[in-house]
Amino acid sequence: MIAPTYPALGRYFRSQKELAEAACMSERKIRDIIKGRAEFTKAERMAIARAIKLKELRIEIKDDLDERFKI
């Protein structure tokens, strides 16, 4: 469950863990942000926005792209 601090995120992410993975951060930091003890960085906000856009476009990333395109 996403807390009332960011209610719109609940439409896109089913759990704090899913949101943490989308923002490339720990679940602990997500809990701190939801409780108001921390804020999202610009990079974290951008990562969340990208994850939401992928969900809207119904694009699913199934593997690690870093390994896939490793030179």
Side-chain angles (χ1 to χ4, degrees), residues 13-69:
F13 304 101
R14 294 184 186 109
S15 67
Q16 291 180 12
K17 181 178 181 174
E18 187 178 358
L19 177 58
E21 289 174 359
C24 302
M25 62 174 46
S26 69
E27 290 182 62
R28 181 179 181 189
K29 183 163 184 198
I30 287 291
R31 282 192 300 271
D32 288 346
I33 290 169
I34 290 172
K35 290 180 181 179
R37 291 183 265 184
E39 293 185 18
F40 288 111
T41 65
K42 184 177 180 179
E44 292 162 348
R45 288 191 306 265
M46 290 175 63
I48 291 168
R50 286 186 196 107
I52 289 171
K53 191 62 174 177
L54 289 173
K55 286 177 177 283
E56 287 177 344
L57 295 173
R58 296 185 189 338
I59 296 172
E60 188 174 329
I61 307 297
K62 294 188 180 214
D63 57 357
D64 185 3
L65 294 178
D66 291 336
E67 285 295 320
R68 187 178 200 182
F69 295 106

